[in-house]
Amino acid sequence: MKKITNILIAILCTSFGFAQQTPASKQSQPIAITGATAHLGNGQVIENSLIIFKEGKLTTVSNASQTDLSGMEVIKADGKHVYPGFIVPSSTLGLTEIDAVKATVDESEIGEMNPHIRSIIAYNAESKVIESMRPNGVLMGQIAPQGGRISGTSSVVQFDAWNWEDATVKVNDGIYLNWPSSFTRGRWWLGEDRGLKSNEKYKEQVDDVTAFFNETKAYAAGNKTTTNLPYAATQGLFDGSKKLYINVDDEKGITDAIHFAKNNKVQHLVIVGGSESYKVADLLKQHNIPVIVQRIHSLPSKEDDDYDLPYKLATLLVNKGVLVALNANGSMERMSSRNLPFYAGTTVAHGLDKEEALKLITSNTAKILGIDKDYGTLEEGKSATLFISEGDALDMRTNQLTHAFIDGRLISLETHQTKLYHRYDDKYKAEKK
């Protein structure tokens, strides 16, 4: 069996046998982008802009003016648009390459309480799935583990690197916890009713989490003569150096999770998923708790939900003053992350202003991840992580990138998908002659 598995892996590696492009070199000379419409990511737009960056940092973001550009590489972008690089949070990119090949799947760990498991160690910077994010402007992400009750620790990376050390922007930024669901569905394969029913083990499961946190606090108060890695890893939640990301959807679960975090003096809480978060938006706003909304393109989870609830959820929360970001969680989460800008575009069709929708995948996400000092907006002094598009980046018909930069480095926009596109496009054109 092992021999067969190795053969299958070898075949797959041969089938997909070209590596990611070599990561770009450091910026060697100042670069100026002139004439583009600049979407700053903070709600502001400059119609005829001048953007200059040097040594990976933005030095000028202003209206076009008479400026000496000698000694600079000038990119004339009249009629085009410039955006800050998009950021995908709560992602398993780089942790799994091919779902059907177990050897490439490293997104979860055995056990229930694993706050000490660091997802960044398993991150594959040469993933061809990650490579396919960049042509749509998705240049950064938060890599988060899955599985168990407490999944592990997440980190933030940029998508053009030799290895995980080079990729890391912020290491061990948060801990992911899967909150128990107060409702369950019957198991169809056992012939059970698929309708929602109360989870009889809900209190027991919550008590398990509470007991673990009590143990971590007792450990912190002790002499620590013996290091306990799971307990030690949680200490950042109490001193504010880490955020607690809780995957939870239902109204009761969200409310209980908020009270749990407050009772345990967790400094920073983020709700991930939150399909019913609109029902407790005032509570979220009261405690300044952000929400990472998942699965914009999905069906309602309950029969009496509005048919378009997933599409307008972000709008409902933003209108209540909640800080909101978007991700692409779901059965095809890794591959679908490349569609992040188009999910933001969907929120425009369901009530959000276009620049407000842009914030869901730029400045809002940067604030939630704690990287807004350097990323998320086009502002002087921040990282030159940005791209130029032929048109509206939130529209799949017009988001055609011509240039993309990470920390001022001009990165490749070629992927195995673009190579296949050109291959069969050439074939089609040849056949028509």
Side-chain angles (χ1 to χ4, degrees), residues 266-288:
V266 172
Q267 296 294 307
H268 304 292
L269 171 65
V270 180
I271 297 298
V272 182
S275 60
E276 293 189 356
S277 55
Y278 69 98
K279 296 181 179 180
V280 291
D282 291 333
L283 182 64
L284 293 165
K285 174 61 178 175
Q286 176 187 343
H287 293 288
N288 295 315

Side-chain angles (χ1 to χ4, degrees), residues 224-254:
K224 305 183 187 66
T225 53
T226 301
T227 300
N228 184 296
L229 292 178
Y231 294 163
T234 62
Q235 301 311 306
L237 298 177
F238 311 121
D239 63 22
S241 61
K242 290 181 182 177
K243 295 186 179 182
L244 180 60
Y245 294 86
I246 298 185
N247 290 295
V248 57
D249 283 310
D250 60 285
E251 179 183 4
K252 175 176 171 53
I254 295 170

Side-chain angles (χ1 to χ4, degrees), residues 118-355:
R118 302 172 64 218
S119 61
I120 191 64
I121 300 298
Y123 177 71
N124 175 20
E126 293 189 339
S127 165
K128 285 189 280 291
V129 181
I130 289 175
E131 188 179 77
S132 70
M133 303 294 116
R134 302 186 315 207
N136 281 351
V138 182
L139 306 182
M140 301 179 68
Q142 181 200 40
I143 308 307
Q146 295 186 344
R149 183 61 66 201
I150 300 180
S151 305
T153 301
S154 58
S155 293
V156 183
V157 301
Q158 51 84 6
F159 292 156
D160 183 63
W162 287 102
N163 48 49
W164 69 263
E165 292 95 334
D166 292 340
T168 302
V169 171
K170 186 174 184 181
V171 67
N172 301 337
D173 73 298
I175 290 176
Y176 268 76
L177 187 159
N178 296 307
W179 193 259
S181 175
S182 57
F183 293 95
T184 62
R185 290 186 182 274
R187 295 163 292 183
W188 61 267
W189 61 90
L190 296 180
E192 296 177 357
D193 182 8
R194 286 285 292 151
L196 285 174
K197 58 183 180 180
S198 295
N199 178 10
E200 296 177 356
K201 295 185 178 180
Y202 177 73
K203 184 179 183 304
E204 176 186 337
Q205 292 166 346
V206 172
D207 287 345
D208 288 342
V209 179
T210 302
F212 180 82
F213 270 69
N214 288 337
E215 291 164 8
T216 65
K217 288 182 285 186
Y219 171 80
N223 55 24
K224 305 183 187 66
T225 53
T226 301
T227 300
N228 184 296
L229 292 178
Y231 294 163
T234 62
Q235 301 311 306
L237 298 177
F238 311 121
D239 63 22
S241 61
K242 290 181 182 177
K243 295 186 179 182
L244 180 60
Y245 294 86
I246 298 185
N247 290 295
V248 57
D249 283 310
D250 60 285
E251 179 183 4
K252 175 176 171 53
I254 295 170
T255 303
D256 289 348
I258 292 172
H259 292 315
F260 166 83
K262 295 302 175 182
N263 291 339
N264 283 280
K265 295 182 170 51
V266 172
Q267 296 294 307
H268 304 292
L269 171 65
V270 180
I271 297 298
V272 182
S275 60
E276 293 189 356
S277 55
Y278 69 98
K279 296 181 179 180
V280 291
D282 291 333
L283 182 64
L284 293 165
K285 174 61 178 175
Q286 176 187 343
H287 293 288
N288 295 315
I289 297 172
V291 178
I292 298 176
V293 173
Q294 297 177 334
R295 303 188 70 179
I296 287 290
H297 290 178
S298 64
L299 296 173
S301 59
K302 293 184 177 179
E303 293 181 356
D304 57 350
D305 285 343
D306 290 349
Y307 73 93
D308 57 351
L309 179 59
Y311 300 102
K312 66 182 182 181
L313 176 58
T315 304
L316 295 175
L317 292 171
V318 169
N319 290 343
K320 285 286 189 175
V322 178
L323 184 64
V324 180
L326 297 183
N327 87 341
N329 205 352
S331 60
M332 295 289 286
E333 171 256 316
R334 283 176 297 279
M335 286 63 75
S336 297
S337 292
R338 67 173 68 96
N339 293 322
L340 189 68
F342 313 136
Y343 297 148
T346 297
T347 69
V348 176
H350 289 80
L352 273 190
D353 173 79
K354 187 167 291 186
E355 299 307 315

Side-chain angles (χ1 to χ4, degrees), residues 32-43:
I33 302 172
T34 64
T37 299
H39 304 262
L40 306 190
N42 57 6

